[in-house]
Amino acid sequence: MKYCMAIGLLGSMTLQAMAQYTGKVFVDENRNGLLDEGEKRLHRVSVSDGLNVVQTDSNGAYQLPGHSRMHFLFITTPSGYKTDNAYYYRIENGRTEYDFPVYPCYGGIQADGSHRFIHISDTEIRGKEGNQAWVDNLRDYSANEKIAFIVHTGDICYESGLNSHIGLLNTALMEDTQIFYGIGNHDLVKGAYGEELFEKLYGPVFYSFDVGNTHYIMTPMLHGDYLPEYTKEDVYRWMKNDLAYVGKEKSIIVFNHSLPEDTVAFKYGMSDTEYIDLPAMGLKAWLYGHWHVNHVHKHKVTGVYTICTSTPACGGIDHAPSAFRVLTVDTEGNVASEFRYSYLSPSLHIVSLENGQLPTLPSGKIPLSVNAYSTVSPIRTMRYWCESEGKKVLSSNLLKRQSDFNWYAEIPLLSQWEHRQLTVIVEAFFNNGEVRRCRRSFFYEKPERKQLPLRLSWIKNVGASIFMSAPLVYRKRLFTASVDDNESGKAAVVCMDAQNGTVCWRYSLRGSVRSSIAIADGLVFAQDVHGYIYAIQAETGTLVWEKKLNIGVLPPLNDGLVAASDVVYAGTGKSLCALKAATGGLIWKNEAWSRGEGCVATLSLGRNILIGHANWKGLYANNAVNGELLWENKDAELKYRSASVAWEGENLYLLSSRSFFILNSKNGEVIVRKKMNCSVDVNSTPLITESEIIFGTAANGVIALDKQTLEEKWNFKTNPALIYTSPYSKPSSSTVETSPVLVGDTIFFGASDGILYALNRINGKLLWKYKTGVPIFSTVSVAGNTLYVTDFAGNVYGFIMNNKTQD
């Protein structure tokens, strides 16, 4: 019986393989899906059965042999055309003729073939609810900016996501843009075979399309939660046939849910002798997701870029901001990247004149610093003018863009304006035609007459976003570091005069610094996402030494480093090391534990113990003198590492997942585990006061525990985050990624809602706040009577505290 069934199945497959599939590719002018008389037929369009590839003849016709395991017929959608998800047909029993209607779609494709597209990944939705906002962001930005296509590289995710996502975002919903989907590991779900549901809703798991002078190839994740029916050999055989029709004048970009197995030579194939040399074929970039991080890496051997994009829907695993990536591809296939941060409605905020502040430059002018943004449309130009008593007293002047969020100008103050009320009006013109205004009024008088809790002394922009690198003050200078997840040359360590914000020097880095820098013995230390450590002379900005850690491509090195006396501790996992501060000479290197997923925590040093972190793996203690592993704690909840530990005596205080912990620093044993009512997966190190333990949370602002009882003493809930960074956090989470800082009985912290707060530490009552209009992800610093703050727009603020504030 079993033998007969097998023969019957084999006979059916043989008959299918012998079938000839035919049809035409044509321009469907009237959008009725039928080939009507007079409609144009397209020549040299590739058509595939998932193995074999042919091109249409001068009559737009094709003929394919089919094969035993085919599921679809599909075309390589030609540049300048789109389909309403009809670039593929599922094979139907008894049907052998399939026509492919296409229609013009020139959105975003320039005459020279250059164009832009959007990359998203890992949206991991659990249904349609709560996802419309970021989907609307994508659709509106695409329409406003003439985007050629949107590509989603997988983890849509699970049955609920797969069934819901296609209804939220598909080609039929887009006017001049088309949507392409790839399959991720969590899209391989239960069924007859892993990709069955994906195929039913989204079509083939591997295919290609052309835009401009670039040939795009979607490849599938080769493994996942359930076994797929396809194999790497299937993908390789098809890809080889597909590329046979791609001319040398075309560049190639590949999409996948993850990195290829060969990220050195990018040879895609079955063995050392049977492969496709993708760089030789014109490969420019490999775009992927899976890691929930934003990371660009150029491979030296081939010049190929691998580009990872996190999710637009929520915070990434390594606290990557909720965003989608916009890529510009030129006529030669070269790629440039920028981000659009999700959920931001058009906003305009005069940050330098907040709360009646009136900082004055040495020139006597007023700095006009404006933080402004809209997810769906960039700002084209911005101007300002001044009025008094309803009359214009200063004509319109343009502001200059300083960063993704910040615009700047300087307002001349005339002596005749003193003791008069002035109003500054700022007007922003967005690319989509929208115009926004904001205004600030102030009574012009000498700054020393003002009595404010904190007075803004100066504001300076570093030209790029500042993430979780807290400002450091050393020898009357301030140091900070910036991020550049587009690899556009903006990442740097910046040194300023701590009294007035004047930039003393700037040292450009290869990549972003996403967490803490350190200073010791006249040197500034930073490590970038590519695993380079830099030692820079604090006085001059001269590089003293640099060292490359062998971290591989992923995850990026997000961790913060620490320095003490003549030693700097850097890296993580097997790259964790102690180096001589003066020379970079190796003292010891960790061999005992491996790194985890991307982690923004900073190494912690106390009692000759170095505490390291491996996200999703655990907490580790190495002997700071010789590197010996002292202990490890892989508690199921403690392994979710985001923040550094705080030391008090021999105990460690830290946050992880949804709990607050106290650990014994000698052996790593848990002394206290207190469950919280929300996630504390944030980069907030607990502040230990005489009677409180105070820290930020992912959704509930700041919480203070009674130090003796560990019961909640107070909770100050901030506004919802402007941009979401805590892993999987979404609207409307009130996130605080920063660590509270104590001055007298006042705690200061910045929040993801874009506000700098001052609270009474005893009762949590609000004492003062300062709105910046962009998230604050870095912890504030205090030196003398000055509070230093940085924001995600790249602004550095110097606030002078009055005596009462410091008490």
Side-chain angles (χ1 to χ4, degrees), residues 674 676 689-695 702-716 760-765:
K674 179 178 175 58
M676 306 301 300
T689 74
E690 60 185 28
S691 54
E692 298 89 19
I693 303 168
I694 307 170
F695 48 83
V702 171
I703 288 176
L705 303 180
D706 184 282
K707 191 174 181 180
Q708 298 302 317
T709 66
L710 296 185
E711 294 301 313
E712 184 175 302
K713 189 173 183 180
W714 53 258
N715 175 205
F716 181 86
N760 182 294
R761 72 154 178 97
I762 298 171
N763 56 28
K765 297 297 183 183

Side-chain angles (χ1 to χ4, degrees), residues 333-643:
N334 299 308
V335 176
S337 168
E338 64 177 297
F339 279 105
R340 302 306 299 176
Y341 299 98
S342 305
Y343 303 115
L344 291 171
S345 301
S347 65
L348 200 61
H349 188 74
I350 304 175
V351 68
S352 55
L353 303 179
E354 178 74 5
N355 285 3
Q357 300 280 351
L358 195 63
T360 306
L361 299 166
S363 63
K365 296 181 180 180
I366 292 178
L368 179 61
S369 182
V370 180
N371 287 338
Y373 200 81
S374 170
T375 298
V376 302
S377 182
I379 296 171
R380 185 173 65 253
T381 57
M382 190 180 295
R383 64 178 183 174
Y384 80 95
W385 65 90
C386 296
E387 296 178 355
S388 180
E389 298 176 356
K391 296 180 180 179
K392 185 177 285 190
V393 296
L394 185 66
S395 58
S396 297
N397 292 272
L398 292 177
L399 287 87
K400 180 181 179 181
R401 181 191 292 275
Q402 297 195 112
S403 69
D404 290 343
F405 291 86
N406 186 258
W407 296 70
Y408 184 79
E410 294 178 359
I411 304 174
L413 279 179
L414 304 180
S415 58
Q416 59 264 36
W417 294 352
E418 192 170 356
H419 308 304
R420 294 174 62 184
Q421 182 170 336
L422 293 175
T423 300
V424 180
I425 299 98
V426 176
E427 191 170 52
F429 299 85
F430 293 82
N431 278 358
N432 64 354
E434 188 170 357
V435 179
R436 286 292 176 109
R437 284 185 181 180
C438 67
R439 61 182 64 222
R440 284 290 182 274
S441 297
F442 58 90
F443 192 74
Y444 176 40
E445 57 183 352
K446 298 297 182 182
E448 56 265 24
R449 296 177 186 172
K450 291 182 176 293
Q451 294 297 319
L452 299 170
L454 283 88
R455 175 176 61 83
L456 180 61
S457 176
W458 55 266
I459 181 171
K460 189 72 176 181
N461 192 277
V462 301
S465 293
I466 299 172
F467 196 48
M468 295 180 177
S469 178
L472 297 181
V473 178
Y474 179 76
R475 295 178 181 173
K476 298 183 179 181
R477 290 191 171 184
L478 180 141
F479 301 85
T480 188
S482 59
V483 295
D484 176 15
D485 291 330
N486 297 306
E487 295 293 300
S488 58
K490 295 180 180 179
V493 173
V494 181
C495 171
M496 299 175 172
D497 186 303
Q499 290 186 314
N500 55 35
T502 300
V503 173
C504 303
W505 54 258
R506 178 191 309 269
Y507 187 86
S508 294
L509 309 176
R510 293 174 178 83
S512 299
V513 175
R514 304 194 75 225
S515 192
S516 304
I517 59 175
I519 302 178
D521 200 23
L523 295 177
V524 183
F525 301 98
Q527 60 186 16
D528 70 18
V529 292
H530 301 300
Y532 283 90
I533 305 171
Y534 306 84
I536 306 165
Q537 227 292 325
E539 181 66 25
T540 64
T542 303
L543 181 69
V544 177
W545 58 263
E546 68 177 25
K547 190 178 186 72
K548 188 179 189 303
L549 302 175
N550 294 318
I551 66 167
V553 178
L554 285 171
L557 183 59
N558 300 316
D559 312 57
L561 46 66
V562 65
S565 185
D566 57 351
V567 180
V568 59
Y569 301 91
T572 183
K574 295 293 180 71
S575 69
L576 176 66
C577 58
L579 305 171
K580 294 179 181 178
T583 64
L586 181 66
I587 300 172
W588 59 257
K589 184 173 179 291
N590 171 57
E591 299 291 347
W593 54 277
S594 301
R595 62 195 308 213
E597 303 294 323
C599 181
V600 291
T602 295
L603 295 168
S604 308
L605 183 64
R607 296 175 176 264
N608 282 330
I609 299 173
L610 183 71
I611 305 297
H613 313 256
N615 195 18
W616 291 9
K617 284 191 174 182
L619 190 70
Y620 302 87
N622 289 68
N623 184 308
V625 177
N626 59 26
E628 176 190 358
L629 180 66
L630 301 176
W631 54 261
E632 61 184 12
N633 190 317
K634 295 184 178 181
D635 182 280
E637 190 177 28
L638 191 60
K639 67 183 183 179
Y640 291 94
R641 304 303 312 121
S642 289

Side-chain angles (χ1 to χ4, degrees), residues 152-171:
H152 188 311
T153 51
D155 273 10
I156 298 171
C157 125
Y158 306 120
E159 288 87 348
S160 60
L162 288 166
N163 281 298
S164 300
H165 208 297
I166 194 68
L168 286 166
L169 196 63
N170 62 68
T171 296

Side-chain angles (χ1 to χ4, degrees), residues 110-390:
Q110 304 302 312
D112 64 357
S114 60
H115 56 277
R116 293 194 296 164
F117 70 91
I118 290 173
H119 179 213
I120 63 172
S121 197
D122 299 274
T123 48
E124 296 198 8
I125 72 173
R126 300 295 189 269
K128 291 185 178 181
E129 295 299 320
N131 291 286
Q132 198 61 54
W134 67 261
V135 170
D136 287 345
N137 286 167
L138 281 173
R139 294 176 60 184
D140 292 345
Y141 181 86
S142 298
N144 291 335
E145 294 297 303
K146 308 301 180 187
I147 295 299
F149 65 92
I150 300 172
V151 62
H152 188 311
T153 51
D155 273 10
I156 298 171
C157 125
Y158 306 120
E159 288 87 348
S160 60
L162 288 166
N163 281 298
S164 300
H165 208 297
I166 194 68
L168 286 166
L169 196 63
N170 62 68
T171 296
L173 293 173
M174 312 297 289
E175 188 170 333
D176 292 314
T177 307
Q178 46 195 331
I179 316 296
F180 296 102
Y181 282 94
I183 191 169
N185 54 297
H186 294 318
D187 303 323
L188 288 160
V189 298
K190 188 175 182 179
Y193 50 92
E195 71 273 25
E196 181 184 28
L197 181 58
F198 182 95
E199 286 188 345
K200 177 183 176 182
L201 298 168
Y202 298 88
V205 296
F206 51 89
Y207 56 93
S208 63
F209 57 95
D210 288 337
V211 181
N213 302 323
T214 302
H215 184 68
Y216 293 93
I217 303 174
M218 178 64 74
T219 60
M221 188 81 165
L222 296 174
H223 55 83
D225 296 351
Y226 288 83
L227 290 174
E229 183 183 58
Y230 57 82
T231 65
K232 186 175 184 181
E233 182 176 0
D234 294 332
V235 183
Y236 161 71
R237 302 289 181 202
W238 164 80
M239 188 190 297
K240 185 176 181 180
N241 293 331
D242 174 77
L243 288 172
Y245 290 103
V246 178
K248 292 183 178 180
E249 75 282 358
K250 282 187 177 289
S251 58
I252 295 170
I253 292 177
V254 174
F255 301 116
N256 191 282
H257 185 57
S258 193
L259 281 174
E261 293 86 348
D262 179 4
T263 53
V264 176
F266 290 91
K267 293 179 177 179
Y268 194 97
M270 305 306 302
S271 67
D272 292 340
T273 58
E274 189 176 8
Y275 60 82
I276 304 167
D277 188 337
L278 288 173
M281 296 292 294
L283 181 68
K284 296 290 186 179
W286 182 290
L287 275 72
Y288 64 105
H290 187 54
W291 290 79
H292 295 235
V293 302
N294 294 321
H295 189 49
V296 178
H297 184 87
K298 184 176 183 180
H299 298 260
K300 289 184 177 180
V301 174
T302 59
V304 173
Y305 282 92
T306 50
I307 302 174
C308 185
T309 304
S310 189
T311 170
C314 58
I317 288 173
D318 72 342
H319 298 247
S322 49
F324 52 92
R325 191 187 293 270
V326 182
L327 295 114
T328 299
V329 183
D330 70 13
T331 185
E332 296 179 351
N334 299 308
V335 176
S337 168
E338 64 177 297
F339 279 105
R340 302 306 299 176
Y341 299 98
S342 305
Y343 303 115
L344 291 171
S345 301
S347 65
L348 200 61
H349 188 74
I350 304 175
V351 68
S352 55
L353 303 179
E354 178 74 5
N355 285 3
Q357 300 280 351
L358 195 63
T360 306
L361 299 166
S363 63
K365 296 181 180 180
I366 292 178
L368 179 61
S369 182
V370 180
N371 287 338
Y373 200 81
S374 170
T375 298
V376 302
S377 182
I379 296 171
R380 185 173 65 253
T381 57
M382 190 180 295
R383 64 178 183 174
Y384 80 95
W385 65 90
C386 296
E387 296 178 355
S388 180
E389 298 176 356

